[in-house]
Amino acid sequence: MKIRSKTHRMTVLTMLLGMAMIVNMIEPVFVIGVPGVKLGLANVLGLIAFYLLGVKELFIVNVMRVLIVSLLRGTLVGTGFWLAFIGTLSSCLSIVFFHKVTKMSEIGISTASATFHNLGQIGVIIFITNMPLMITWLPVMLLTGVPTGILTGYLVKTINKRFITD
């Protein structure tokens, strides 16, 4: 997809943000089996924004999604908000870093993103609860985060083949 104007760019960005918010709101319905674990499908829209529009738009879609959905749910500045916010920031930073310094595919970038999201969340929960033993949740989170990262990466790769023509 060729972005033809600033208006077109803003429209695409807004649509990606809207879709990411909707996916984020309905995603808890799909239970994986471990409490609190989600598929991370909203990150697909952030990654598409990254590959289609750029770094700034990745942060806009993901950070605004977390802020607006937390506001809509009434959880702004609660524990869940901080877990999502720091996890998302860690994820976005890892996407930018690994894209810049490696030649990872969308699947690799997405898997790294999921891993850093989990690391950010563990860091926040240890800080909030002052319980370093919460690190014991990390293997469980990684065992679910890596496969979901692979799944979301595959979705991004498939979508990129369809829409991004370089």
Side-chain angles (χ1 to χ4, degrees):
M1 174 188 310
K2 182 156 175 67
I3 304 298
R4 295 181 294 273
S5 66
K6 287 183 180 182
T7 305
H8 186 219
R9 181 179 201 78
M10 183 61 72
T11 303
V12 170
L13 178 63
T14 306
M15 288 177 13
L16 288 170
L17 174 59
M19 289 185 289
M21 289 169 43
I22 291 168
V23 169
N24 192 275
M25 294 287 284
I26 64 172
E27 195 171 28
V29 173
F30 305 107
V31 180
I32 293 179
V34 179
V37 174
K38 297 191 299 183
L39 291 171
L41 295 175
N43 195 43
V44 170
L45 285 305
L47 282 164
I48 291 169
F50 173 69
Y51 286 109
L52 188 61
L53 303 170
V55 172
K56 181 175 74 171
E57 290 77 5
L58 163 71
F59 280 92
I60 289 171
V61 168
N62 281 342
V63 172
M64 290 301 294
R65 169 182 52 88
V66 170
L67 289 170
I68 295 170
V69 169
S70 294
L71 187 62
L72 290 172
R73 287 187 174 145
T75 60
L76 193 61
V77 301
T79 303
F81 165 76
W82 289 112
L83 288 169
F85 186 71
I86 299 301
T88 298
L89 282 181
S90 302
S91 169
C92 289
L93 290 171
S94 73
I95 290 167
V96 174
F97 175 78
F98 286 110
H99 187 264
K100 188 167 273 207
V101 299
T102 69
K103 295 197 182 288
M104 285 186 185
S105 69
E106 292 94 334
I107 296 170
I109 297 280
S110 178
T111 304
S113 169
T115 301
F116 276 84
H117 185 91
N118 290 337
L119 290 171
Q121 286 183 319
I122 286 291
V124 167
I125 203 67
I126 288 171
F127 178 79
I128 289 173
T129 63
N130 198 22
M131 294 177 60
L133 284 176
M134 291 301 286
I135 194 104
T136 58
W137 266 99
L138 188 58
V140 174
M141 292 177 75
L142 293 177
L143 280 172
T144 57
V146 169
T148 58
I150 292 169
L151 172 68
T152 57
Y154 178 75
L155 290 171
V156 171
K157 187 174 184 171
T158 303
I159 292 167
N160 280 350
K161 281 182 186 175
R162 168 94 184 190
F163 288 106
I164 298 179
T165 55
D166 288 327

